[in-house]
Amino acid sequence: MSSDSIKTLQQKLFRGTEDSNGIQQTDSRDPGLTIQIPKAELAPLAPKPPPKTSKAVSGDLKIQENGSTKSYRQRLSESLGVDYHGVEKYRLLQDENRERHWKRWGPYLSDRQWATVREDYSDNGDAWSHFPHEHSRSRAYRWGEDGIGGISDSHQRLCFSLAVWNEQDSILKERLFGVTGHQGNHGEDVKELYYYLDSTPTHSYMKFLYKYPQRRYPYEELVNENLHRDRNVEEYEILDTDVFDDDRYWDVFMEYAKDEDDPDNLYIRITSYNRGPDPATLHIIPQLWFRNAWSWPAQKPPMPSLSAAATDDDISYIKVKHPEMGGNLLCCLPSPPPMGPDGKFVGDEDAVIKPDLLFTENNTNFRRLYGGMNQSVCVKDAFHDHIIPSHRPQRGRSDSKGLDGSSTPRPAVSTPTCEAPPLEFPFVNPEKRGTKSAAHYVFRDVPGRGGCAVVRLKLTPLSPNEDRSLEDEGAFDDVIEERREEANEFYSSLLFGPISDDLKQVMRQALGGMLWTKQFYYFVQKEWIEGDPAQPPPPPGRQHIRNKHWRHMHIEDILSMPDKWEYPFFAAWDTAFHCIPLAVVDPVFAKKQLDILTREWYMKPDGQIPAYEWNFSDVNPPVHAWATFRVFKIERKLTGREDIPFLERVFQKLLLNFTWWVNRKDSGGNNVFEGGFLGLDNIGVFNRSEPLPTGGNLRQADGTAWMAFYCLNMRVRVSLAFAMYSLFVRLNIALELAKHNAVYEDIASKFFEHFIFIADAMTYKSGDNESSLWNEEDGMYYDAIEFGPGNSVQLPVRSLVSLIPLYATLVLEPAVINRFPGFKKRMEWFIDNRPEISGRNMANMRAGGRGERRLLALAGKERLVRILEKMLDEDEFFSEYGIRSLSKLHKEKPWGMQVNGDWHEVGYWPGESHSGMFGGNSNWRGPIWLAVNFLLIESLQRFYQYYGDELQVECPTGSGEYMNLVEVAEEIQHRIIHIFGRDIEGKRATNGGNVKLDHDPHFRDYVSFHEFFHGDTGRGLGASHQTGWTGLVAYHILQSGVHCRLPKTPRTPRSLVNHYFDETIDTQSEYGGDNQSLYSAMSALELHTLGDISPDAL
C-alpha cells in the first residue's frame, strides 16, 4: 500500500471533524479509547490503521448500499430528519420494539466460572477447592462459561473468546487467573491487567484490552507470596513481579462491531502490539465453542456441531450447527505479516498468515484430572496439548498436580483407568469437527517498541462467497470504525457543558465497563441440589450447606454483575446501584434488572429477595424500591417517558418484600429492626449476621433508618436507619402511582404512618425506661445492645451507622399534598393528634420550609447540623476523596469491649481489612464506598430543597467557609471524582502512586474501578473491575463534572450551584397550571438533564 493511501486511511480512521451534514466524526482527542497504531520514531506519522494483506483495496472505499458511499449515520439522519437522535438511540428503540434483536450477542461470558458456588458439588461447601483454576482448562462447566474478552448469545449456547500463547507459559492463556479466597491475604483477587474500554448499550461496538506478559506467567509466585502475607500487608500484585519489566508484554486489543442494520453480523478485530524492546512471537488463538448442555441429562439431547470449510478464495471458516440456532459461520480471514513501528511489513508483504483450524469436544478430561475414562477421544484441554508439547500427558499416569503443586480433588465415584494414548495421538480431531474450535494464528518475530499483528474474523449467518468485507480488509475496518464513531456520537449526546477530556474518558470507561459486566447467569436450584442424572450423585449432606430453602429458583438471564471475576454473581443491593448509571444509557435494561429480581422465579413466596449465591438468605439493605423509583424518574427526566406499568408492577411485589421485612426483621413488633449484616460486612464490633457473644438484641441505628427510607420511597428502608430509608421510598412510589390510580393514596397514608412509628422507635422502651439510639452528648446515632428490661448499652462507634439516618429524608411539595386530600387529611391528623410520636425523633413537620414544602426526616435541623459537623470534619469522616465509612477519630481512639474473656474492638483501618470477617476481602472500617456516598449526596440535595440557603454549614469543619447543603453535596461529588481524575501532576489517586500506571503512555489513560478506596489516599482496593456500583462516578461526572476542579488544587470560594435553583426560571412543574416547582433545573435548557435535582427529579 502506498504511503499516500496509508495517510488517507489514517486520516479517515483516526482524525475527525464534522461532516457535511454536521454529524460529528471521530474525535482525535481520545487516546484512551483509540487503538494507537505505532509511529516511526524518526519520522512521526499519524496513527496507522491495522495492517492489511496486499490484496486489500486501498483508499476511501466503503461498503456500499444501494450505490451510496454515505455512512449509515448520514443515511439514517437524512431518512429520519428531525426525529434523528443518533444511531445508537435508534438501535435501542428497535430493540425495545422487537424490530431488531440488537442485544442477542453481547459480553455475556463470565470472567471466572471456576470456583463459583454453582460449580461446587463438594460435601463441605468449599467452592474454592472443589473447582480450582487448575481444573478449569480440563473440566467442563455445568452452569456457564468463561473467557478473556468474550461474547456469547443471550442464552450462552455459542461462545467466543480469546486465547494467546507467548511460547513461555506451560498453558495457553485462555482465562483470567487470580488467587482464591484461601490463597489471598485479603481474600480472592484477580492477578491480571485488563480493561473494559468501551461499549454501546446494544453492544454494536465494544473494545477490550488485555496486557499479556512475554515472560512466563508467574502463577506459582503470585500464589505463594500471597499465601505468606498476613492481613496487615498489602496484596502482592502482578506489577510487583518482574514480568512487565522492560515493557516485555503485549497489548492485545479486542474490538467487536455489528453490521449497521443486522445484529447477527459481528466483525471481530484483534490487534496486538509488542511493547517490549525485542522482536517476539505471539500465538493468537480465538476460540468458538458450545456450552456443554449434553453431559448432564439422562437422555443426551441433539448435539450441536462445529466443522471446517473454506470459500472459493481459500478463506477458512467454521460452520456452526445448533438445534436451537440458525446456521452461523465464523470466517477466519488470512492475516498480513507483522508490521513494525515504521509501517513496514516483516518479510514479504505479499505473504499471508493463514490460521490452522482446530477442533475438539467441550468434554471433561477425566483421564488427566482423575485417571478416569474420557467420554470422547478429544477433550476440552486438547488445544493446550496440541500447541504446547510440554503440556502433553506422560504415558501411564494422570496429571493431577496443579500449577502451584497442589493436589486436585477426585470425584466421589471413581471410574476405570484407561491407558495413556501414544505420544503421536492426535489431541485435536483430524476430521476437523467437534463442539469446541479454534483458529490458530502464529506471528513470528513481531518487531519491538510497537510492532503489531492483527487478526480479523467475522461471525455471520451470511454466505461467505457473498460478503465483500471478507475480501477487503479496508471495508472490514471501515465497519468497525463507523461503529466507533456512532459510539462517540452516543456518549457525546449524554454530556452537558464543558467537561474535561480526562473526565470524559473516565465517564466513558465507567459506563463501558458497566455494559461489559453483563453476564449470562444460569442456575436451577432443584437440579443443583439433587445433582444430574448422568453424573454421580452429590454427597448427601451437600443439600444442607447453603440455599436449601430456595427450591423455586430458576434463573437463565442476562444480569448485571458487580465484578465478573471477583463477584461473578448478582448481588441484590449492588444491582440497585448499578441501575442508576445504567438508566442513563439504557433505561430498558436497568428496569428489567430491577423487575426481574422481584419475579416469582427469584423472589421467595414470602417476599424475600435473594441476596447473592453464597447465601441467598442473607440480608442486604432494602434499596430496591429506591432504585426502582430513581430509574423511573431518570427515564422520565431524560426521555419524557413515564413507565407507570413498570413502577406499579415492581411496587406490588415490593409490598410482599416489605411485609417480609416487617415479619422477619422486627421480631419484637416494636418497629426496631435488627437487620443483620446489611452489606456492611465488618462495620460493627461484632459480626452482625451472627448471635451476639454478649447475649441480648442488637438495636441497629442503620437498620431502622433503612426501613424508614423504604417507607418514604414507597411514596405509594436494618438497624433503624435502613428501615426508615426503606419506608421513604415506598411512600414516594405510592404517591406517584396515586396520580394515576386513587387506590394508592390510601397506601401512601399507610406508609406515612409506618414511617412515623419507626421514627419513634429510635427511642425504644427498655423496661420502665426509655432509651434512645441518639446520643445527645456526642450528637450522633449509635447501635445499642438491649440485654433485657432496663438494661441496655450504646455502642459509641462513629461509623456509617451514625450517618445512614440522614437517608430517611423526603420533601413534599405543596402541590403534591394538595393534590391528595385524603393523604393530606391523614397526615395533618397525625401531626395534631400524635405529637408525642410525630415530634420526638423527627424534623418538625408542622413548619413549612422553602416554598411551604413539608419535610419528612429523622434528623431535624439541630441534629442534622450536629451530624454534619462530624461528617464534614477532615479529622473524622471527610476525606479528600469522599466520606469515610468510619471516623478517623478511631485511629487514636479505637472502641472495644471484653466479652467472655475476648476483646472485641473497632479501629480505623483506612485500607484493606485486618479481619477475616466475611472473607476479609472488603472493609467498612475506614475506606470510601461510592454507593453509600451516593445516598448521602442525594439526601443533602433533598435537605436543600426544604432549607434552601437558610441553612449554611461549615465545610470542611473548621475551615471558616460556609456552604448551603447542595454545595456540600457537590463538594462530596467532586472529591469522589478526584479518586479517578488526573491531578496537576498527572497522577490518579486510585493508582496508589504507581508510576507506571500514572505516567506510562500505554497505561495512563486506562482507569481501574475498584470496589472501595483508601480512606486517606484514595487508592483503589478490593475487586479491581467493580464498575458495578463504582460506575456511579459516571453519574457524578454527568451531574456536576462541569464544575469539578483538578484534584489537589484549591477550591475557589463561590456559589457553585445557585444556578440549579435560580428562582427567576419559571419552569412548569409536572403538575401543570399554577402548581409549579420553585425550581426544576439549572435553566430551561437543562430540564431534561441530570443537572436537575429538584423534587420532581429526585
Side-chain angles (χ1 to χ4, degrees):
M1 184 181 292
S2 69
S3 59
D4 288 342
S5 61
I6 288 178
K7 289 179 180 178
T8 299
L9 195 53
Q10 289 167 355
Q11 192 71 18
K12 178 177 65 172
L13 297 184
F14 298 103
R15 296 289 183 266
T17 57
E18 286 191 355
D19 62 20
S20 58
N21 290 333
I23 297 177
Q24 181 66 33
Q25 301 297 312
T26 305
D27 188 350
S28 62
R29 300 172 301 170
D30 191 9
L33 300 177
T34 301
I35 290 182
Q36 295 294 314
I37 310 299
K39 310 170 185 177
E41 293 184 7
L42 298 179
L45 299 172
K48 297 178 178 61
K52 301 171 176 59
T53 59
S54 59
K55 69 179 181 179
V57 180
S58 62
D60 285 338
L61 293 178
K62 283 182 174 288
I63 297 176
Q64 299 184 10
E65 184 172 307
N66 299 324
S68 172
T69 59
K70 293 181 178 179
S71 71
Y72 182 63
R73 286 187 301 150
Q74 292 170 324
R75 286 182 274 121
L76 186 63
S77 176
E78 292 173 358
S79 173
L80 297 179
V82 295
D83 293 325
Y84 177 81
H85 300 292
V87 175
E88 184 62 17
K89 292 182 179 179
Y90 180 71
R91 291 194 180 105
L92 284 168
L93 189 61
Q94 285 185 313
D95 188 82
E96 182 180 3
N97 294 334
R98 301 178 183 272
E99 298 168 8
R100 298 282 192 281
H101 194 348
W102 281 106
K103 299 175 188 173
R104 177 180 286 117
W105 294 94
Y108 307 142
L109 282 189
S110 176
D111 288 344
R112 176 176 63 84
Q113 184 66 19
W114 56 274
T116 58
V117 167
R118 283 162 290 144
E119 301 293 342
D120 176 21
Y121 285 78
S122 68
D123 59 356
N124 61 358
D126 185 357
W128 294 112
S129 300
H130 180 72
F131 202 136
H133 176 266
E134 290 78 15
H135 278 203
S136 60
R137 65 187 182 275
S138 305
R139 184 169 160 187
Y141 293 128
R142 170 64 174 88
W143 296 101
E145 296 289 339
D146 60 15
I148 299 175
I151 61 171
S152 77
D153 66 281
S154 56
H155 295 280
Q156 202 166 96
R157 294 166 292 203
L158 184 62
C159 310
F160 174 93
S161 75
L162 172 72
V164 286
W165 187 48
N166 55 15
E167 298 195 339
Q168 301 297 316
D169 285 341
S170 59
I171 60 174
L172 301 178
K173 176 61 71 172
E174 61 181 355
R175 58 182 46 82
L176 300 171
F177 173 76
V179 294
T180 68
H182 302 321
Q183 296 166 341
N185 58 327
H186 297 114
E188 67 270 26
D189 187 51
V190 67
K191 302 299 182 183
E192 305 269 14
L193 292 175
Y194 60 103
Y195 301 88
Y196 306 116
L197 293 181
D198 205 3
S199 179
T200 57
T202 64
H203 311 298
S204 58
Y205 178 76
M206 298 189 295
K207 185 183 292 186
F208 174 89
L209 169 61
Y210 177 64
K211 291 181 176 284
Y212 181 45
Q214 294 174 4
R215 295 183 175 93
R216 186 181 179 93
Y217 197 91
Y219 294 101
E220 297 90 346
E221 179 183 350
L222 288 165
V223 170
N224 292 333
E225 182 60 32
N226 279 284
L227 271 171
H228 289 94
R229 293 190 174 196
D230 64 29
R231 291 194 173 91
N232 297 312
V233 182
E234 291 183 3
E235 297 173 5
Y236 188 66
E237 305 292 357
I238 192 167
L239 282 179
D240 297 324
T241 72
D242 64 0
V243 295
F244 281 89
D245 288 0
D246 305 318
D247 293 328
R248 294 184 186 274
Y249 69 93
W250 298 92
D251 266 342
V252 184
F253 290 89
M254 300 184 69
E255 292 177 283
Y256 299 91
K258 297 178 182 178
D259 249 348
E260 60 185 38
D261 199 34
D262 187 346
D264 294 320
N265 264 322
L266 280 82
Y267 297 75
I268 305 167
R269 186 169 67 187
I270 304 170
T271 314
S272 303
Y273 296 92
N274 180 358
R275 300 301 186 196
D278 303 317
T281 295
L282 179 66
H283 297 240
I284 299 178
I285 315 153
Q287 302 188 43
L288 184 75
W289 74 99
F290 294 111
R291 175 169 58 86
N292 186 327
W294 53 85
S295 294
W296 327 113
Q299 184 173 356
K300 183 176 288 190
M303 288 291 291
S305 68
L306 303 167
S307 58
T311 68
D312 297 338
D313 294 324
D314 203 26
I315 295 177
S316 300
Y317 64 90
I318 299 168
K319 295 174 63 175
V320 179
K321 291 185 178 180
H322 191 284
E324 298 175 5
M325 302 177 70
N328 282 276
L329 311 172
L330 180 66
C331 300
C332 308
L333 280 65
S335 293
M339 177 181 283
D342 57 359
K344 296 180 180 179
F345 289 112
V346 175
D348 184 1
E349 69 176 72
D350 292 326
V352 294
I353 296 174
K354 294 185 178 180
D356 181 17
L357 299 188
L358 310 176
F359 293 83
T360 186
E361 303 295 338
N362 187 16
N363 290 332
T364 296
N365 189 340
F366 288 102
R367 179 191 167 276
R368 166 168 271 126
L369 294 176
Y370 315 114
M373 182 80 70
N374 286 335
Q375 297 173 342
S376 57
V377 174
C378 300
V379 286
K380 182 178 178 179
D381 55 12
F383 303 153
H384 297 261
D385 289 329
H386 176 78
I387 296 172
I388 308 174
S390 64
H391 189 271
R392 295 168 187 166
Q394 297 181 20
R395 182 186 295 269
R397 74 170 181 86
S398 65
D399 180 14
S400 60
K401 293 290 183 179
L403 289 174
D404 58 357
S406 61
S407 297
T408 54
R410 296 179 178 261
V413 178
S414 62
T415 52
T417 301
C418 66
E419 284 195 9
L423 294 179
E424 64 272 15
F425 188 85
F427 297 100
V428 297
N429 190 340
E431 297 181 0
K432 292 193 176 294
R433 64 177 64 251
T435 52
K436 181 180 179 181
S437 63
H440 182 197
Y441 294 82
V442 183
F443 297 91
R444 301 205 174 275
D445 299 322
V446 181
R449 301 304 184 203
C452 69
V454 64
V455 167
R456 296 176 178 87
L457 310 105
K458 187 173 183 180
L459 185 62
T460 176
L462 303 178
S463 168
N465 294 316
E466 301 174 357
D467 192 339
R468 183 187 165 198
S469 67
L470 302 182
E471 297 293 331
D472 182 0
E473 289 106 320
F476 187 104
D477 290 344
D478 282 349
V479 173
I480 295 177
E481 294 309 316
E482 191 172 337
R483 295 297 88 78
R484 194 175 80 89
E485 291 170 2
E486 292 161 4
N488 289 345
E489 175 191 54
F490 174 76
Y491 282 105
S492 294
S493 72
L494 303 180
L495 300 171
F496 181 86
I499 295 175
S500 72
D501 290 344
D502 181 53
L503 292 187
K504 288 178 185 177
Q505 287 200 48
V506 173
M507 178 206 74
R508 179 120 168 220
Q509 290 182 53
L511 293 172
M514 296 195 75
L515 294 167
W516 263 97
T517 46
K518 296 178 182 180
Q519 180 182 309
F520 172 77
Y521 190 92
Y522 182 37
F523 179 74
V524 181
Q525 195 268 5
K526 184 177 185 296
E527 297 176 10
W528 180 77
I529 284 283
E530 295 177 357
D532 296 302
Q535 298 295 316
R542 175 176 170 274
Q543 60 183 310
H544 302 294
I545 295 173
R546 59 171 60 93
N547 299 331
K548 67 178 181 179
H549 300 300
W550 294 79
R551 300 187 66 85
H552 68 288
M553 186 169 276
H554 188 121
I555 305 175
E556 192 173 355
D557 296 298
I558 303 300
L559 301 178
S560 178
M561 298 291 117
D563 178 316
K564 289 203 296 185
W565 195 95
E566 189 147 339
Y567 303 111
F569 45 81
F570 72 91
W573 88 301
D574 295 62
T575 297
F577 291 99
H578 300 181
C579 290
I580 304 306
L582 283 172
V584 177
V585 294
D586 190 356
V588 172
F589 179 73
K591 289 186 294 184
K592 183 175 181 179
Q593 296 299 289
L594 295 168
D595 184 15
I596 205 167
L597 286 180
T598 67
R599 300 303 296 268
E600 55 272 22
W601 52 91
Y602 285 78
M603 179 186 278
K604 283 181 70 176
D606 62 6
Q608 185 178 11
I609 293 175
Y612 50 91
E613 67 177 27
W614 287 93
N615 184 2
F616 285 130
S617 296
D618 215 334
V619 183
N620 283 167
V623 292
H624 209 85
W626 162 79
T628 299
F629 200 41
R630 290 298 287 116
V631 166
F632 169 82
K633 286 201 163 189
I634 289 170
E635 181 181 35
R636 182 172 68 186
K637 177 56 57 181
L638 297 181
T639 70
R641 173 184 176 182
E642 283 192 331
D643 193 346
I644 297 298
F646 155 74
L647 191 64
E648 188 168 14
R649 183 170 59 252
V650 178
F651 177 79
Q652 294 288 351
K653 299 294 182 64
L654 289 177
L655 291 176
L656 291 174
N657 179 243
F658 184 77
T659 303
W660 174 84
W661 272 97
V662 171
N663 291 338
R664 297 297 300 273
K665 292 302 173 182
D666 177 21
S667 57
N670 53 14
N671 298 301
V672 178
F673 294 80
E674 293 88 359
F677 143 69
L678 289 173
L680 306 186
D681 293 15
N682 64 346
I683 199 168
V685 180
F686 311 110
N687 187 332
R688 305 198 304 175
S689 285
E690 297 177 357
L692 293 174
T694 61
N697 297 313
L698 183 65
R699 302 306 194 188
Q700 293 178 230
D702 60 326
T704 305
W706 277 118
M707 283 305 292
F709 181 64
Y710 204 170
C711 280
L712 288 182
N713 277 281
M714 293 288 278
R715 198 157 76 159
V716 216
R717 241 173 188 331
V718 204
S719 82
L720 280 167
F722 279 149
M724 300 293 286
Y725 185 53
S726 180
L727 284 164
F728 270 130
V729 181
R730 282 166 162 71
L731 176 56
N732 251 323
I733 297 177
L735 286 174
E736 183 68 39
L737 292 173
K739 301 175 190 174
H740 307 273
N741 186 338
V743 169
Y744 289 101
E745 187 175 351
D746 292 341
I747 297 177
S749 297
K750 178 63 178 175
F751 280 115
F752 170 77
E753 293 178 17
H754 207 142
F755 166 73
I756 298 294
F757 283 112
I758 291 178
D760 188 56
M762 296 297 275
T763 297
Y764 60 93
K765 294 283 186 180
S766 184
D768 295 329
N769 303 314
E770 287 187 340
S771 300
S772 177
L773 299 181
W774 172 257
N775 187 297
E776 185 63 34
E777 180 179 354
D778 290 354
M780 299 290 281
Y781 289 102
Y782 295 133
D783 282 346
I785 299 178
E786 184 182 6
F787 296 101
N791 186 8
S792 66
V793 61
Q794 284 188 341
L795 307 180
V797 177
R798 297 188 181 184
S799 69
L800 282 172
V801 169
S802 304
L803 307 181
I804 287 172
L806 298 184
Y807 296 170
T809 306
L810 175 66
V811 175
L812 293 176
E813 294 248 37
V816 175
I817 298 172
N818 293 332
R819 179 166 181 164
F820 304 114
F823 174 78
K824 179 181 180 181
K825 181 178 179 180
R826 187 66 178 164
M827 184 182 73
E828 290 178 343
W829 184 94
F830 239 87
I831 294 172
D832 293 337
N833 292 277
R834 306 296 292 271
E836 75 286 357
I837 294 178
S838 63
R840 179 162 52 184
N841 285 295
M842 291 180 56
N844 186 354
M845 291 191 301
R846 294 178 180 273
R850 185 177 181 181
E852 294 305 312
R853 293 191 175 101
R854 295 290 184 95
L855 175 67
L856 298 181
L858 281 181
K861 186 175 182 179
E862 180 183 349
R863 289 188 180 181
L864 172 63
V865 171
R866 295 191 67 188
I867 292 172
L868 293 180
E869 180 183 355
K870 265 76 73 176
M871 190 183 91
L872 300 176
D873 188 335
E874 292 179 323
D875 291 326
E876 290 216 32
F877 288 97
F878 204 25
S879 165
E880 282 188 62
Y881 305 102
I883 304 299
R884 300 179 176 103
S885 51
L886 187 79
S887 171
K888 197 173 181 179
L889 172 77
H890 293 301
K891 179 179 182 179
E892 303 298 332
K893 298 180 179 179
W895 189 88
M897 64 187 302
Q898 191 160 354
V899 181
N900 299 327
D902 295 323
W903 182 252
H904 299 264
E905 182 179 88
V906 171
Y908 178 65
W909 301 339
E912 296 279 11
S913 175
H914 299 182
S915 162
M917 198 181 296
F918 288 93
N921 64 340
S922 67
N923 181 23
W924 291 82
R925 296 186 180 182
I928 296 151
W929 295 76
L930 265 65
V932 288
N933 271 257
F934 189 88
L935 294 175
L936 283 170
I937 288 165
E938 286 206 339
S939 297
L940 292 171
Q941 291 169 341
R942 286 193 296 270
F943 273 119
Y944 179 85
Q945 294 165 1
Y946 180 78
Y947 290 111
D949 291 328
E950 170 197 340
L951 180 55
Q952 304 267 329
V953 296
E954 198 175 19
C955 181
T957 300
S959 67
E961 183 177 348
Y962 285 80
M963 303 181 191
N964 63 43
L965 298 186
V966 80
E967 292 173 335
V968 173
E970 188 171 71
E971 176 64 16
I972 299 172
Q973 283 184 312
H974 290 175
R975 293 189 179 211
I976 289 171
I977 293 171
H978 290 172
I979 295 173
F980 307 92
R982 283 197 187 99
D983 66 17
I984 199 168
E985 297 177 348
K987 300 176 182 178
R988 301 185 194 275
T990 186
N991 291 337
N994 187 296
V995 175
K996 192 172 193 67
L997 296 180
D998 281 331
H999 299 296
D1000 188 303
H1002 301 302
F1003 280 84
R1004 64 190 180 198
D1005 293 324
Y1006 308 129
V1007 183
S1008 293
F1009 297 89
H1010 287 261
E1011 183 181 5
F1012 55 98
F1013 301 88
H1014 194 285
D1016 297 334
T1017 69
R1019 179 170 64 91
L1021 301 166
S1024 55
H1025 294 76
Q1026 189 145 340
T1027 44
W1029 61 24
T1030 301
L1032 287 163
V1033 68
Y1035 193 94
H1036 292 314
I1037 291 171
L1038 288 168
Q1039 190 173 75
S1040 69
V1042 171
H1043 308 287
C1044 189
R1045 67 191 184 277
L1046 281 174
K1048 296 188 177 180
T1049 56
R1051 178 184 176 278
T1052 303
R1054 61 188 174 92
S1055 180
L1056 293 178
V1057 287
N1058 280 348
H1059 53 278
Y1060 277 25
F1061 313 112
D1062 189 342
E1063 294 188 45
T1064 65
I1065 299 172
D1066 196 22
T1067 306
Q1068 187 172 355
S1069 82
E1070 60 182 294
Y1071 303 104
D1074 296 329
N1075 300 320
Q1076 295 178 338
S1077 301
L1078 278 173
Y1079 48 80
S1080 289
M1082 297 182 187
S1083 70
L1085 294 175
E1086 287 192 83
L1087 182 59
H1088 300 298
T1089 75
L1090 299 179
D1092 181 1
I1093 54 176
S1094 68
D1096 291 356
L1098 293 180

